[in-house]
Amino acid sequence: MNRTDIRETLDEESIRLTKSLGQNLLHDQNVLRRIAKAGDLSPTDKVLEIGPGLGALTAHLLPAVSQLTAIEMDRRLEAKLRERFGSESHFELQHCDALKFFAQPENQSADWSEWKLISNLPYSVASPLLVDLAAMPRGPERLVVTLQLEVAQRLCAVPGTKEYSKLTLLVGCRYEAGEMFRISPHCFFPEPRVDSACLTFHRRAEPLFADELYKPFKTVVKRAFSQRRKMMRKNLKGGWPDDKIDAAMAATGLDSKIRAEKVTLAEFVKLTQELQEGIEQ
Ligand code: SAM
């Protein structure tokens, strides 16, 4: 589907794309091919696609896999997708909000480890979605996601930079960022105001911590970054007794004056383990 096809389809159906749903549709076939290639697909693969839109990326993925489950929130686009791919037995379409879908306990705890998620994500929900995917004990083995360049940079950030944030850690604790390529606004209809990037993540083969530690890890990271300019020790106060915080920071080898943005992922893991010591899970 090139830019003209997209415009014609939208005109025929009197569909006006909605900014609040992040409806910037990809039409550049080279970029779409490159995204599919980053999925490293094989005929037995199962793929999840969030926000298929009119199916530009779906058309590249569907012939290459054994199952594709797409989640689209816009009823108007859902109808077009059913028209286009409904006859394919390995295509499944859910009409719902992807955030609500993954929040359902049965989907949170399901085994997605044999799935790959490949999506041009709606930008407004990209960050919470990635955090939800990382929160799953058995999340998809690979994520190939197109998002705002600025968000991609935060996801790949290293300690001590302004991009290093809660998001870096909450996704990074379960996924390792791999290749990234930039996508120009010209590749979308309508053109977004910012640059985008396609980023590949691989689920960590060796978990950094036991599943029970994910929730406490998230609490520690959120508290630590609650006021970025403050010392981390002050941000953690109130969550645990002061002497426990001091002992945990010392055992992790952290200076008592350090700010969260300087603390590495491995140090956050160790700090969480120390803070949880003696607490029933
Ligand atoms: N994949 C298509 C493409 O590349 O041309 C469309 C991508 S567009 C950036 C985002 C898509 O996500 C839109 O089709 C939009 O309707 C859908 N969407 C937005 N919010 C959603 C949500 N919370 N759950 C599911 N789909 C959503």
Side-chain angles (χ1 to χ4, degrees):
M1 246 183 166
N2 60 28
R3 197 173 185 280
T4 313
D5 299 331
I6 292 177
R7 290 195 78 145
E8 280 176 8
T9 307
L10 295 172
D11 284 349
E12 274 165 24
E13 305 294 325
S14 308
I15 298 175
R16 293 195 62 176
L17 293 176
T18 315
K19 213 172 171 188
S20 63
L21 286 177
Q23 292 178 328
N24 301 98
L25 310 184
L26 264 170
H27 59 76
D28 185 302
Q29 297 302 311
N30 285 330
V31 169
L32 287 160
R33 268 192 290 274
R34 215 170 153 190
I35 295 173
K37 190 160 182 264
D40 192 22
L41 297 172
S42 71
T44 52
D45 276 343
K46 294 189 270 189
V47 166
L48 269 171
E49 188 188 357
I50 314 282
L54 285 173
L57 181 58
T58 321
H60 285 260
L61 303 174
L62 197 57
V65 299
S66 69
Q67 190 179 342
L68 189 148
T69 297
I71 304 174
E72 175 55 60
M73 193 175 166
D74 188 325
R75 180 70 79 189
R76 305 165 303 172
L77 302 180
E78 182 209 358
K80 290 308 294 174
L81 288 161
R82 289 203 191 283
E83 210 175 274
R84 193 168 174 197
F85 305 110
S87 61
E88 305 278 354
S89 59
H90 62 309
F91 175 72
E92 188 203 352
L93 182 58
Q94 304 257 356
H95 169 248
C96 62
D97 176 342
L99 278 177
K100 289 192 182 146
F101 177 87
F102 288 115
Q104 284 164 15
E106 66 272 24
N107 290 330
Q108 258 293 316
S109 60
D111 187 355
W112 298 101
S113 58
E114 289 182 1
W115 290 71
K116 293 176 176 175
L117 182 134
I118 307 179
S119 305
N120 171 17
L121 290 174
Y123 292 171
S124 54
V125 298
S127 300
L129 252 170
L130 289 173
V131 171
D132 283 355
L133 290 164
M136 291 172 176
R138 280 157 297 174
E141 58 157 295
R142 180 188 289 244
L143 313 176
V144 179
V145 286
T146 298
L147 20 77
Q148 282 180 47
L149 178 64
E150 184 221 312
V151 177
Q153 285 165 337
R154 280 202 277 138
L155 286 158
C156 301
V158 294
T161 59
K162 69 175 185 347
E163 290 82 14
Y164 188 66
S165 60
K166 272 185 303 196
L167 182 66
T168 321
L169 290 153
L170 295 181
V171 177
C173 67
R174 288 246 166 88
Y175 285 96
E176 274 180 295
E179 292 147 49
M180 174 164 103
F181 61 89
R182 239 176 146 112
I183 308 178
S184 146
H186 305 309
C187 301
F188 298 85
F189 177 81
E191 293 187 14
R193 268 195 250 132
V194 292
D195 274 351
S196 303
C198 174
L199 182 56
T200 300
F201 287 98
H202 303 273
R203 185 95 181 167
R204 290 184 181 279
E206 292 298 324
L208 295 182
F209 44 68
D211 288 347
E212 312 81 76
L213 222 67
Y214 176 78
K215 266 193 180 163
F217 172 83
K218 189 171 179 179
T219 306
V220 172
V221 169
K222 279 186 152 179
R223 273 189 176 265
F225 277 91
S226 53
Q227 286 181 279
R228 228 186 138 88
R229 300 191 153 270
K230 264 192 176 181
M231 288 189 291
M232 184 171 79
R233 186 175 172 279
K234 290 202 171 154
N235 287 336
L236 293 177
K237 267 182 166 228
W240 300 265
D242 287 2
D243 55 348
K244 182 139 201 169
I245 296 172
D246 291 339
M249 287 185 68
T252 308
L254 295 171
D255 187 286
S256 60
K257 293 197 174 66
I258 199 164
R259 290 196 301 204
E261 65 194 26
K262 293 263 165 78
V263 179
T264 66
L265 172 57
E267 286 167 339
F268 267 112
V269 172
K270 169 89 173 128
L271 182 66
T272 306
Q273 285 161 342
E274 294 293 335
L275 286 168
Q276 282 304 104
E277 191 71 26
I279 297 177
E280 290 275 317
Q281 304 278 330

